[in-house]
Amino acid sequence: MTTYVLVPGLWLGAWAWQGVTSHLRENGHTAYPVTLTGLADRSHLATPELTLDTHIDDIVNLITYEDLRDVVLVGHSLGNAAVTGAADRMPDRIARVVYLESGPVPDGVAPIDMAGREFAEARVRDGWRYPLPAWEDLEASGSSLAGLGPAERELMRARATDQPLGTITAPIRLTGAFDRLPKTLISSSFPLAQVKALIADGHPLFAPLAGPEWELRELPTGHWPMLSRPADTAALLAELTPRP
């Protein structure tokens, strides 16, 4: 059986993985959904001083103190930066890195620049709080809401917490240790055929996915598959081989 560490994207906490973790555990796997500092049940720890390094430390410390090994480390959306940073710090503990509706943040790039700096900064409150935007704004920015019905939207709106801006504005710094790890991209709102075309065309964000360490998979739905198709998300994760 496999050990999964599940990291949510912006505004979310471990709660967003409940449907996925229940299916994984029912099938004998071990699952650790993460709430990053300053969000959800840890929102009381939110401060303007929080940085991406804090979120990387959250993941590193979980894996260290739970003594987890051969971990399948899953990052959703802009949880990708913390996941990439953690995998780069402790590659010996990571069996595979999975990017769900995301991809690796290149060395020296700030996560906010992959999501749209102007879009985010225009919605910041108090100089450091980035709240969940209106549904129509999310869709206009390219975040598909497919599969999110009234119940899922109500849940997400009720439980979403403001993202501390400092956790996505600093460039990530990598050593290169992450490069050799097996990786999987799971595309949901973006057709996999388009992803492959961008890889073939040499797009700077997609070209690295041509490497032999990459596996490309598809789960058609919107940008939040853990909420819109939790059972299918769990089933797909369970299909992945921790190491080739």
Side-chain angles (χ1 to χ4, degrees):
M1 294 293 103
T2 304
T3 298
Y4 297 88
V5 171
L6 307 163
V7 181
L10 301 189
W11 314 296
L12 310 180
W15 62 266
W17 294 104
Q18 286 176 353
V20 174
T21 55
S22 64
H23 284 284
L24 288 173
R25 289 167 179 166
E26 285 169 7
N27 287 283
H29 301 289
T30 302
Y32 290 85
V34 176
T35 293
L36 298 171
T37 300
L39 295 153
D41 52 294
R42 303 183 71 199
S43 59
H44 58 290
L45 301 175
T47 69
E49 289 72 40
L50 285 179
T51 67
L52 173 60
D53 281 339
T54 309
H55 285 179
I56 293 173
D57 287 341
D58 287 333
I59 301 169
V60 168
N61 288 342
L62 169 67
I63 293 172
T64 299
Y65 287 100
E66 293 290 343
D67 195 24
L68 305 181
R69 299 175 188 275
D70 290 326
V71 172
V72 174
L73 180 56
V74 183
H76 167 254
S77 191
L78 279 202
N80 60 350
V83 160
T84 300
D88 191 66
R89 286 192 194 176
M90 51 189 335
D92 57 313
R93 297 290 189 100
I94 308 302
R96 178 175 294 276
V97 186
V98 180
Y99 293 97
L100 179 62
E101 274 290 282
S102 64
V105 181
D107 183 45
V109 174
I112 194 173
D113 290 321
M114 297 187 73
R117 183 178 290 270
E118 290 184 7
F119 178 87
E121 290 180 343
R123 289 162 176 78
V124 170
R125 297 173 182 167
D126 304 324
W128 66 279
R129 298 180 184 272
Y130 178 26
L132 177 67
W135 300 125
E136 55 270 23
D137 290 341
L138 284 169
E139 285 202 299
S141 71
S143 297
S144 170
L145 303 178
L148 295 182
E152 291 79 18
R153 295 191 192 199
E154 183 178 353
L155 175 67
M156 190 168 161
R157 183 63 63 181
R159 295 194 184 179
T161 44
D162 293 353
Q163 184 79 23
L165 191 65
T167 63
I168 59 173
T169 52
I172 193 170
R173 298 300 177 192
L174 303 171
T175 68
F178 155 86
D179 295 345
R180 58 184 171 83
L181 289 171
K183 305 174 188 69
T184 299
L185 171 77
I186 300 176
S187 184
S188 291
S189 61
F190 206 60
L192 193 55
Q194 265 185 281
V195 173
K196 292 179 177 179
L198 289 166
I199 294 171
D201 289 344
H203 187 286
L205 291 180
F206 289 85
L209 277 64
E213 73 277 16
W214 279 97
E215 176 184 15
L216 306 179
R217 303 293 290 268
E218 188 171 32
L219 179 63
T221 186
H223 186 61
W224 289 272
M226 74 281 272
L227 295 174
S228 59
R229 295 183 63 180
D232 293 330
T233 300
L236 197 160
L237 289 175
E239 289 177 7
L240 302 178
T241 304
R243 290 189 187 275

